[in-house]
Amino acid sequence: EDQVTQSPEALRLQEGESSSLNCSYTVSGLRGLFWYRQDPGKGPEFLFTLYSAGEEKEKERLKATLTKKESFLHITAPKPEDSATYLCAPCDGANNLFFGTGTRLTVIP
Amino acid sequence: GAGVSQTPSNKVTEKGKYVELRCDPISGHTALYWYRQSLGQGPEFLIYFQGTGAADDSGLPNDRFFAVRPEGSVSTLKIQRTERGDSAVYLCASSANREGLFFGPGTRLTVL
């Protein structure tokens, strides 16, 4: 059965305190893994797609990495505006995206 | 350019009523998706269109839910005989390819 687990559920960081969010997955025929950011009351905002183990992508203070069982979203020197819920979504062989429940990040000034 | 738009932004209805939720995808995007998101959960897949046809409707929870995309652009999600458990945010997303799905702001449906 396809499963996605994100940890931690919630994370509070001081501004400038780097950390990582984890996405563990079991998906048949992985075709890619998506990361999204979601602010309260808004739809998810696309961040990255990773296609193969070992791949990395960066955008400003965010870097996403992928292994065969996990993906990490590294946040370097976060700012308060990085506060949001971060969702990962592996895509299976049938082109279905399976979203995790997300990590709610709060960055304190 | 304009992103995905959804109307209405909020819909309150009574149990047993019929509702329609509309999605305008990004122009030129051939793929369109509907998801449902409950509080504290990630989006849950409902249905996927490629052009005018439903390529995958395996996520629709039961036959009260139906979606159409008659001209390959705008889509309407239709829910018959609404139940309180249908209350959620309904998200629409579109894509030109599998590089990324771009989501709209969602329609918050409340069934009283």
Side-chain angles (χ1 to χ4, degrees), chain B residues 5-18:
Chain B
S5 62
Q6 293 186 245
T7 54
S9 55
N10 282 282
K11 176 70 177 179
V12 180
T13 191
E14 294 180 344
K15 180 174 178 292
K17 299 290 188 181
Y18 168 83

Side-chain angles (χ1 to χ4, degrees), chain A residues 31-66:
Chain A
R31 300 187 66 167
L33 185 140
F34 294 72
W35 279 98
Y36 285 85
R37 168 194 171 125
Q38 187 171 28
D39 293 293
K42 297 189 176 181
E45 175 189 342
F46 172 74
L47 294 174
F48 305 108
T49 309
L50 302 167
Y51 291 102
S52 57
E55 186 175 2
E56 297 183 354
K57 288 194 176 174
E58 291 189 58
K59 180 180 180 180
E60 296 182 352
R61 295 175 292 282
L62 301 176
K63 183 170 78 172
T65 61
L66 182 66

Side-chain angles (χ1 to χ4, degrees), chain B:
Chain B
V4 177
S5 62
Q6 293 186 245
T7 54
S9 55
N10 282 282
K11 176 70 177 179
V12 180
T13 191
E14 294 180 344
K15 180 174 178 292
K17 299 290 188 181
Y18 168 83
V19 297
E20 289 190 351
L21 311 179
R22 176 187 168 109
C23 172
D24 283 82
I26 294 171
S27 178
H29 280 192
T30 56
L32 185 146
Y33 305 78
W34 283 99
Y35 283 81
R36 176 168 70 174
Q37 187 173 26
S38 300
L39 192 63
Q41 301 297 312
E44 172 192 18
F45 170 76
L46 296 177
I47 188 169
Y48 155 54
F49 288 90
Q50 184 61 250
T52 60
D56 184 350
D57 64 357
S58 62
L60 295 177
N62 52 59
D63 61 6
R64 296 187 296 106
F65 288 74
F66 189 70
V68 296
R69 194 186 186 200
E71 298 179 357
S73 178
V74 170
S75 177
T76 304
L77 178 66
K78 308 180 180 190
I79 310 174
Q80 298 177 320
R81 304 183 304 279
T82 51
E83 299 178 357
R84 292 194 180 87
D86 299 336
S87 297
V89 175
Y90 289 80
L91 294 164
C92 176
S94 70
S95 175
N97 51 48
R98 268 288 171 174
E99 179 60 26
L101 271 64
F102 295 89
F103 282 85
T107 293
R108 181 175 299 278
L109 175 66
T110 303
V111 182
L112 301 177

